[in-house]
Amino acid sequence: MEKKIYLDNAATTKTKPEVVEAMLPYFSELYGNPSSVYEFASQNKKALDESRRTIANAIGAESTEIYFTGGGTEADNWALIATAEAYENKGKHIITSKIEHHAVLHTCEYLQKRGYEVTYVDVDENGVVKLDQLEKAIRPTTVLISIMFANNEIGTIQPIKEIGAIAKKHKVLFHTDAVQAFGQLNIDVDDLGIDMLSASAHKLNGPKGIGFLYIRQGIKIRSLIHGGAQERGRRAGTENVPYAVGFGKAVELAMNSMEERIKKETELRDYLIKRVLSEIPYTRLNGHRTKRLPNNANFSFQFIEGESLLIMLDMNNICASSGSACTSGSLDPSHVLLSIGLPHEIAHGSLRLTLSEENTIEEIDYTIDKIKETVEKLRNMSPLYEDFVRRRY
Amino acid sequence: MYTKKVMDHFANPRNMGEIEKPSGVGTVGNAKCGDIMRMYLDIDENGIIQDVKFKTFGCGAAVATSSIATELVKGKTVEEALKVTNKSVVEALDGLPPVKMHCSLLAEEAIHAALWDYAERNGIKIEGLKKPKGDVHEEEEEIVY
């Protein structure tokens, strides 16, 4: 295929033309600072408010509970560091899982170096957080539970409502990194018992470089970025109005299309999973079979290495990603794949395909054909496969 | 990320496969780290490497370094093959990204392991050849981020 097939929507998505169009006036004509008093700038304040309202409505929150940030990572950093600091009189213990995004894990490590204690709860073979272990980990000094809504690599959706109930029962705050889930799944913060939630615009066809943190009314939290009184005095810095407008537009579009999109992507995903598992031997699906993001498929192909697979797919104009060490820049493969119990060599041979509503069945068929071809080619090249065949025959 | 040469050797690997009755075989690396290289040598009675084949489990750079290494030793004497270092492998590929340098070490190690096997099978001693380690990563320093 001449055309590029983009199957890496968990990495980032295409900014929708409607989103770009909504943003444009706020770069050129409507450049005022929302904090200014004159009439000209009031339009920016209004646009910011509208975007905030759209986002709040999308998760069943109040506008005053939505704080724009420079992205999902900043929101995670803020939620963890500032909550830990604000509640340190109660205690210095945080609970999270082993399969969180590095935005959470590395922030936890940062806090550990500063005297905080962190418990990393295990997940089962499908990547679902072990609830009994989570509840047992709660101490009188626990101030925060941070568990992601859905995993970015294997797509597993966590039992958020149950976690929310456990947190409430023990009077511990509950933060969720919903960067992958927001715009893909229905989220209601009250129903699910979520106290704080991080999200990012570029995962749902919005611009890169903007996200938000939802902070339930009444929660003490310190500022991470100090300066002016923007974002109700909690996140300083002149508001990124064009991006906030783009974010609002992206959320509006995502909410309107959600039902239809979930249906379409789930069908395509299940077709992809079924064909790959039935047509390529020694292959496994990583993550939960059904409780997974509608657009996520993650496979491990035994005897081959993920980066080689990615490069060969790229030669065929297919964009995908892998949890192999070679793509992570370290010697170890993905911490998520290791946490679900995969041996190193199988974790190295993983492939993540994340769909968008724009993908077609033809693209998926072409991709599967290319994966089959490539896996076969790489297995023929693999000493592990050679040994396996020798042992077998 | 990769040079044209690396991409060429990855997409069209030279001498990929097995040798049925090899004079020597060496396998280095480990699956845990994500790369394993196996080198087969066919050496004639004059000590000339008549044929060489490889199999590799690993990233693009691992495949490319194996491929170029086979080209560098084919038709050479055992002594000449010993002089193929990780540096000459990198040079022949017009460079490797810093994080992939260990792949070139693996290629050098694979040649040495195959030569060691050849020497053992024939009860000879090759001057300058040391017993290869099973895992080249043992000597590497841990990368701290």
Side-chain angles (χ1 to χ4, degrees):
Chain A
M1 248 179 220
E2 282 296 301
K3 209 185 94 197
K4 171 179 89 262
I5 301 178
Y6 188 74
L7 297 172
D8 203 15
N9 287 279
T12 195
T13 57
K14 177 166 97 182
T15 313
K16 283 210 162 137
E18 298 96 309
V19 171
V20 176
E21 206 175 311
M23 290 166 73
L24 287 177
Y26 295 90
F27 288 108
S28 43
E29 307 98 77
L30 302 169
Y31 54 82
N33 187 325
S35 301
S36 304
V37 290
Y38 36 78
E39 180 58 28
F40 169 57
S42 71
Q43 293 174 81
N44 294 79
K45 175 99 178 46
K46 205 169 143 248
L48 203 58
D49 289 345
E50 264 171 40
S51 171
R52 205 188 302 276
R53 197 172 313 120
T54 306
I55 291 167
N57 286 340
I59 57 166
E62 298 293 328
S63 289
T64 50
E65 297 172 313
I66 304 295
Y67 299 86
F68 287 114
T69 64
T73 296
E74 186 194 319
D76 284 339
N77 271 260
W78 187 13
L80 269 75
I81 295 170
T83 310
E85 286 179 352
Y87 287 85
E88 65 182 4
N89 286 338
K90 186 193 170 196
K92 296 179 103 175
H93 180 236
I94 292 167
I95 300 170
T96 187
S97 85
K98 286 189 175 158
I99 62 161
E100 296 300 308
H101 189 274
H102 286 131
V104 166
L105 289 181
H106 289 171
T107 306
C108 284
E109 284 163 24
Y110 166 88
L111 286 168
Q112 279 177 294
K113 282 186 197 139
R114 277 153 190 80
Y116 290 85
E117 283 183 274
V118 182
T119 303
Y120 300 90
V121 175
D122 288 317
V123 295
D124 66 14
E125 69 279 11
N126 292 319
V128 180
V129 167
K130 292 186 173 166
L131 292 178
D132 51 338
Q133 206 185 93
L134 180 123
E135 188 161 12
K136 272 187 210 139
I138 298 174
R139 312 172 189 169
T141 54
T142 308
V143 293
L144 181 71
I145 295 172
S146 180
I147 304 285
M148 68 200 327
F149 207 109
N151 185 266
N152 50 307
E153 290 185 40
I154 57 174
T156 300
I157 300 167
Q158 298 301 336
I160 294 298
K161 196 168 178 170
E162 286 84 340
I163 298 168
I166 291 171
K168 201 168 185 182
K169 186 173 139 197
H170 295 274
K171 296 193 171 65
V172 177
L173 293 178
F174 174 35
H175 164 255
T176 186
D177 171 352
V179 166
Q180 293 293 335
F182 182 56
Q184 280 219 70
L185 301 170
N186 274 305
I187 300 175
D188 184 306
V189 288
D190 286 341
D191 179 47
L192 299 170
I194 296 165
D195 296 311
M196 281 179 278
L197 177 146
S198 311
S200 172
H202 77 102
K203 307 288 189 188
L204 49 129
N205 306 104
K208 292 164 186 66
I210 188 161
F212 75 83
L213 180 64
Y214 155 78
I215 308 171
R216 182 177 291 279
Q217 201 123 30
I219 291 177
K220 280 195 294 184
I221 186 167
R222 293 199 181 175
S223 297
L224 190 68
I225 312 286
H226 306 278
Q230 293 90 353
E231 301 296 292
R232 297 160 52 84
R234 283 179 152 179
R235 201 276 188 184
T238 298
E239 301 89 339
N240 192 344
V241 179
Y243 280 53
V245 168
F247 197 177
K249 188 71 190 174
V251 171
E252 181 196 315
L253 295 170
M255 294 314 285
N256 289 342
S257 69
M258 191 178 303
E259 212 169 309
E260 203 184 320
R261 193 154 36 88
I262 290 177
K263 191 171 169 283
K264 193 194 162 188
E265 288 179 1
T266 305
E267 273 173 24
L268 215 52
R269 175 199 75 187
D270 289 345
Y271 174 78
L272 167 69
I273 292 173
K274 200 176 157 210
R275 266 201 70 187
V276 167
L277 292 183
S278 64
E279 295 178 32
I280 306 177
Y282 316 116
T283 298
R284 57 164 279 147
L285 176 73
N286 297 317
H288 198 282
R289 178 63 195 84
T290 51
K291 282 180 215 153
R292 69 187 305 134
L293 289 169
N295 75 342
N296 173 294
N298 186 310
F299 304 101
S300 276
F301 302 101
Q302 237 179 303
F303 318 116
I304 67 161
E305 196 278 333
E307 194 217 63
S308 318
L309 178 57
L310 289 189
I311 300 174
M312 286 199 180
L313 291 178
D314 185 34
M315 288 171 182
N316 290 292
N317 279 328
I318 298 165
C319 307
S321 82
S322 166
S324 92
C326 281
T327 55
S328 72
S330 78
L331 289 177
D332 277 324
S334 140
H335 64 287
V336 177
L337 298 176
L338 295 179
S339 295
I340 61 171
L342 293 194
H344 275 69
E345 61 267 36
I346 300 198
H348 281 300
S350 80
L351 176 72
R352 180 187 73 180
L353 303 168
T354 43
L355 317 172
S356 79
E357 58 191 324
E358 289 185 16
N359 291 127
T360 62
I361 191 106
E362 289 76 22
E363 288 181 336
I364 299 301
D365 275 326
Y366 173 83
T367 301
I368 297 166
D369 292 344
K370 290 297 163 194
I371 295 173
K372 273 171 77 173
E373 234 176 81
T374 309
V375 168
E376 203 185 317
K377 194 171 167 187
L378 290 172
R379 280 182 180 163
N380 282 334
M381 222 188 265
S382 166
L384 292 175
Y385 188 62
E386 183 186 309
D387 292 345
F388 172 76
V389 172
R390 281 220 181 110
R391 274 199 304 272
R392 234 174 136 233
Y393 299 104
Chain B
M1 180 168 95
Y2 289 134
T3 65
K4 269 190 184 155
K5 267 260 179 75
V6 173
M7 287 303 282
D8 177 39
H9 277 267
F10 172 67
N12 313 292
R14 328 292 201 258
N15 305 309
M16 199 281 291
E18 301 163 42
I19 293 176
E20 195 115 329
K21 284 183 184 138
S23 317
V25 192
T27 305
V28 294
N30 72 45
K32 195 169 178 253
C33 299
D35 30 37
I36 297 178
M37 253 177 227
R38 179 170 295 163
M39 198 77 79
Y40 294 87
L41 297 176
D42 178 24
I43 302 170
D44 70 11
E45 62 280 6
N46 299 318
I48 291 166
I49 299 169
Q50 290 295 344
D51 198 10
V52 47
K53 297 273 186 209
F54 83 89
K55 283 218 171 170
T56 289
F57 160 85
C59 60
V63 173
T65 51
S66 321
S67 168
I68 197 96
T70 61
E71 284 200 329
L72 291 173
V73 300
K74 198 169 178 174
K76 302 280 169 61
T77 63
V78 167
E79 287 70 29
E80 285 167 335
L82 254 187
K83 287 184 193 133
V84 174
T85 62
N86 69 310
K87 209 173 150 229
S88 45
V89 166
V90 174
E91 274 167 14
L93 288 171
D94 296 336
L96 277 179
V99 292
K100 303 288 187 182
M101 283 302 179
H102 68 277
C103 293
S104 62
L105 276 169
L106 206 57
E108 178 189 317
E109 199 71 22
I111 297 168
H112 289 191
L115 287 173
W116 183 267
D117 183 47
Y118 160 74
E120 279 210 321
R121 287 182 193 211
N122 293 284
I124 53 172
K125 193 178 181 308
I126 301 171
E127 202 57 45
L129 178 64
K130 287 190 206 111
K131 187 173 167 43
K133 292 179 294 287
D135 176 13
V136 293
H137 293 297
E138 281 168 4
E139 275 197 352
E140 279 180 35
E141 278 179 55
E142 198 190 342
I143 302 161
V144 181
Y145 290 92

